[in-house]
Amino acid sequence: CGPGMHLNAPDATHRLSIGLDITRTLLCLGLGGRSPGNYFVEASARSLPLASGSLDVVTAFASLPYVPHHAEWTAEIARVLRPGGHALLDLGNPRSLNAIVSRAEPGSSQLMVPPIGAQLRALRAAGLQILWRRCHQILP
């Protein structure tokens, strides 16, 4: 979640929101504007410190393409979702402008985006059902 810019404040339908990032520095930036019910957790998407079936919704925006071992974090997302829960995931696109720039610039953060077929197979293998899929591009 980085500093939590996209972390929603809890409301009548959601008791709490949990932002997760592997980088303590980014999490600390978000603590200043924290709303009651928002929690920040330092952890890897590949090993979520959450109980199985504990989340109604998981969102990941502009982060998963940087996390290696996509089958591991896909399985973790499926594990923490409650039955009937939803995941809104930005999986990245190996042919996007972001991926091209990442490969061309040795000093930039490297995207680890497998082909879309491998991503879809990992989602299905984790027991997730794809309800909707859309290709888009986030410009650097």
Side-chain angles (χ1 to χ4, degrees), residues 6 34 49 121:
H6 300 290
R34 188 172 93 163
R121 283 190 297 278

Side-chain angles (χ1 to χ4, degrees), residues 9-100:
D11 57 25
T13 58
H14 298 95
R15 294 181 309 220
L16 61 94
S17 294
I18 301 168
L20 181 131
D21 201 287
I22 198 166
T23 310
R24 181 178 297 228
T25 304
L26 288 175
L27 289 172
C28 288
L29 289 174
L31 292 175
R34 188 172 93 163
S35 300
N38 279 0
Y39 296 91
F40 289 83
V41 177
E42 182 182 0
S44 168
R46 294 168 49 202
S47 180
L48 299 172
L50 303 167
S52 297
S54 62
L55 301 178
D56 295 319
V57 177
V58 172
T59 62
F61 178 71
S63 58
L64 293 176
Y66 297 95
V67 181
H69 311 288
H70 73 281
E72 289 178 23
W73 54 254
T74 301
E76 276 295 276
I77 289 170
R79 181 186 67 77
V80 300
L81 275 174
R82 70 164 173 77
H86 291 86
L88 306 159
L89 308 175
D90 170 12
L91 301 176
N93 179 344
R95 295 178 290 179
S96 72
L97 181 57
N98 281 357
I100 293 167

Side-chain angles (χ1 to χ4, degrees), residues 31 71 85 94 101 106 108-109 128 132:
L31 292 175
V101 170
S108 69
S109 297
L128 296 172
W132 186 68

